[in-house]
Amino acid sequence: MSSSTVYRVVLAVFLVAGIARSETIPSKPAPAAEPTPAPATSPPPEAQAVADQIARDLEQIRGLDFKQPVHVESQSVEKFGEYVSRELNEQVPESLRAHYGHIVRALGLYRGPLIEDFSGMMSTVMTSQVGAYYDPEKKSFFVLMNDMPEMMMGVMYSHELYHALQDQYFELQRYMARDQSDHIRARNSDADIARSALVEGEATYVMSLWMAQKMSGKPPTRDMMGMMVAQMANVNMDQLRASIKNPEAEKMLGSDFKNAVAAADEIPAFIMESMIGVYLKGMSFVHSVHDQGWPAVEKAYTEYPPQSTEHILHPDKWLAREAPVVFAWPKFAKVKALRDWELLDDDVLGEFQWRIIFKEQGLAKDAESASAGWGGDRYAVFKRKDSDATLLLLRTAWDNEAEATEFADAYRRLQAAKFSAAPTPVRVDQDGTDVFIVEGGEESQVGSLLKFVKQVRPRKS
């Protein structure tokens, strides 16, 4: 098989498998898809033997030995749905679950009909897109699809087994929780996405090393992996669907995975981009850092975890330890203009989600350039107590004044698109490397709200 064919097939098969999430619950929901039949209660007889062999392959590829065996178990989609529901209830604040639709629309992540059932939609997106997952509490990985071609089984198993290896050396639950010594204790979804991108990206990178080796009969060179990563890093769903039509890829996918891609058509674009981006951008990050060897990658777990998606998108900034600016809001209760408003969410967007926002609002050409130079941000979304009206306060910092100006100009164009159908009081104000934003509320109060946003002082983390 030629190298170009290997690249194309790995791209298609990897991406379909990569839609599935493992131990990290994604933060975006999706509408209903066709239900998947529940598999048998036990995996195929050969499943554990296959897993054990792949584990030995991974030890050779990674240079780390499993400290203990990893068991393969089957699980029905229904049981997995129960698992997802428990995780949602534990990890996602009730106020966010209740008002998620208002939050993503206020932020500009989503322009469609109001999302009213966060938990139901999240359960649906997970059960339609997950083929297997590793559970760090039970130290096992669970397979939801048992009728898979041999190569797809290998791809799925290698990914989940590698999560087990990560867990045995780096304690995934503790790592994803950001321990008490972490400098950022407020909610910070951007930092959480960055850590997920490392975990998923490394598992995907090693999975791809395993798959390329199986297909070519020898370990892939770094140049070969560089070509593969470059092809994958910026792929979109249209390219993915085209790759799946490759005859070699069709033989390896199986109907379950084709159905998962078909179901993805019904999921809002920002959700799919968030899910796939964690794998692809994370893989690119790991490949870049791996240029200095596996010990350099391990430092992202043990010494200096990525602090933001800026680090994932720009590995040189992680290597330079360029920390983001951290913000904390003053007391909202003391602000007269906020008396009639209920706080829904207070969090960080980060460079990766800024790219998605610009794309969602029709400014795809500006997405990367306008988001580049991100230095830090914090937002607060409110809902009026007597209506569904929303208010967005946003504080951002940029690497230099030119980057801040480019963002402010692009964001004004974004506002024109965002509120074209419903004129809304808005303000974008720049002061050097800082940009302050207010959207919503009463026109008479925009000035005082802007003054409040400007009271937020940055501190280097």
Side-chain angles (χ1 to χ4, degrees):
M1 186 178 292
S2 69
S3 294
S4 60
T5 301
V6 171
Y7 301 147
R8 290 197 303 272
V9 176
V10 170
L11 174 65
V13 178
F14 148 71
L15 285 174
V16 177
I19 292 176
R21 305 249 339 151
S22 57
E23 78 289 330
T24 306
I25 297 294
S27 58
K28 315 301 177 190
E34 290 298 319
T36 304
T41 56
S42 61
E46 72 279 6
Q48 190 65 55
V50 171
D52 292 342
Q53 178 57 58
I54 292 174
R56 290 190 288 271
D57 294 341
L58 297 180
E59 289 176 332
Q60 176 269 322
I61 290 171
R62 182 59 175 83
L64 290 177
D65 292 337
F66 280 88
K67 296 180 179 181
Q68 59 197 46
V70 183
H71 297 292
V72 185
E73 300 182 36
S74 281
Q75 188 174 79
S76 69
V77 172
E78 291 76 17
K79 286 290 184 182
F80 176 65
E82 294 172 6
Y83 171 82
V84 171
S85 296
R86 288 195 303 271
E87 291 292 305
L88 287 173
N89 290 336
E90 291 176 8
Q91 296 184 21
V92 182
E94 183 178 358
S95 61
L96 192 152
R97 280 183 272 138
H99 300 291
Y100 181 81
H102 291 102
I103 294 167
V104 294
R105 285 175 65 174
L107 293 171
L109 282 164
Y110 178 61
R111 301 184 71 178
L114 183 68
I115 298 171
E116 297 181 341
D117 182 5
F118 170 82
S119 297
M121 293 177 72
M122 177 62 75
S123 294
T124 298
V125 75
M126 293 294 287
T127 54
S128 71
Q129 299 302 306
V130 170
Y133 72 100
Y134 172 72
D135 186 338
E137 289 188 1
K138 296 185 177 180
K139 308 300 181 185
S140 299
F141 78 86
F142 294 85
V143 179
L144 279 67
M145 299 176 182
N146 282 324
D147 185 19
M148 289 183 278
E150 181 180 354
M151 181 57 79
M152 283 311 305
M153 179 183 289
V155 169
M156 187 71 71
Y157 282 26
S158 61
H159 189 100
E160 302 309 329
L161 281 166
Y162 194 73
H163 280 318
L165 191 65
Q166 291 170 312
D167 191 31
Q168 291 179 16
Y169 282 86
F170 307 118
E171 300 179 62
L172 291 182
Q173 285 183 302
R174 179 199 60 76
Y175 182 76
M176 290 305 301
R178 291 191 286 129
D179 64 33
Q180 293 300 316
S181 66
D182 200 301
H183 59 272
I184 303 174
R185 297 313 310 152
R187 281 193 65 213
N188 189 332
S189 292
D190 184 53
D192 294 338
I193 293 170
R195 292 196 181 207
S196 293
L198 170 66
V199 172
E200 296 294 352
E202 189 190 14
T204 301
Y205 186 58
V206 173
M207 176 189 80
S208 300
L209 286 167
W210 177 88
M211 185 177 177
Q213 183 169 311
K214 283 294 179 184
M215 294 182 68
S216 66
K218 58 185 178 181
T221 65
R222 182 157 179 85
D223 285 345
M224 177 181 176
M225 289 305 298
M227 293 176 64
M228 192 185 305
V229 170
Q231 287 184 347
M232 296 175 183
N234 297 301
V235 75
N236 56 41
M237 285 302 296
D238 289 338
Q239 293 168 318
L240 169 58
R241 295 185 189 96
S243 295
I244 291 170
K245 294 178 181 179
N246 180 288
E248 292 291 335
E250 285 188 353
K251 296 176 185 177
M252 297 181 183
L253 292 176
S255 60
D256 284 334
F257 287 98
K258 290 183 180 180
N259 290 340
V261 174
D265 287 342
E266 302 302 319
I267 299 173
F270 80 99
I271 299 174
M272 289 306 303
E273 186 159 358
S274 297
M275 292 176 69
I276 294 178
V278 166
Y279 291 85
L280 301 184
K281 306 304 183 185
M283 181 188 187
S284 183
F285 171 82
V286 171
H287 174 70
S288 179
V289 175
H290 184 231
D291 190 46
Q292 300 183 14
W294 288 115
V297 177
E298 292 174 6
K299 289 180 181 179
Y301 294 94
T302 60
E303 291 185 16
Y304 189 72
Q307 305 296 302
S308 66
T309 55
E310 179 188 45
H311 282 166
I312 299 298
L313 296 169
H314 308 282
D316 57 311
K317 295 190 175 185
W318 176 79
L319 290 167
R321 303 299 193 257
E322 183 181 313
V325 178
V326 178
F327 298 105
W329 291 106
K331 298 289 185 181
F332 293 126
K334 295 183 178 181
V335 183
K336 183 178 179 181
L338 293 176
R339 287 180 181 174
D340 297 327
W341 298 86
E342 169 193 3
L343 178 66
L344 301 184
D345 195 23
D346 166 14
D347 205 342
V348 178
L349 280 167
E351 184 174 348
F352 181 64
Q353 289 199 94
W354 272 117
R355 289 186 181 187
I356 295 175
I357 289 171
F358 278 106
K359 290 178 183 177
E360 179 72 10
Q361 300 300 324
L363 280 76
K365 292 182 179 179
D366 296 313
E368 288 194 25
S369 61
S371 304
W374 177 93
D377 72 53
R378 191 150 200 100
Y379 70 79
V381 174
F382 301 82
K383 187 179 81 69
R384 195 171 181 87
K385 294 177 181 179
D386 59 358
S387 74
D388 284 338
T390 57
L391 168 68
L392 171 64
L393 305 182
L394 186 57
R395 171 74 163 91
T396 72
W398 300 85
D399 290 345
N400 55 59
E401 190 167 343
E403 298 282 8
T405 299
E406 182 175 10
F407 169 79
D409 290 345
Y411 197 82
R412 291 186 182 97
R413 296 194 296 275
L414 182 150
Q415 286 180 326
K418 188 176 178 181
F419 301 112
S420 60
T424 300
V426 297
R427 186 75 60 85
V428 178
D429 195 17
Q430 179 185 354
D431 182 4
T433 60
D434 300 316
V435 178
F436 313 91
I437 296 169
V438 175
E439 293 179 1
E442 302 294 333
E443 185 66 52
S444 61
Q445 296 178 327
V446 170
S448 62
L449 289 170
L450 187 64
K451 182 178 179 180
F452 169 72
V453 175
K454 290 184 175 182
Q455 290 176 8
V456 180
R457 294 291 181 262
R459 60 180 177 84
K460 274 288 184 180
S461 56

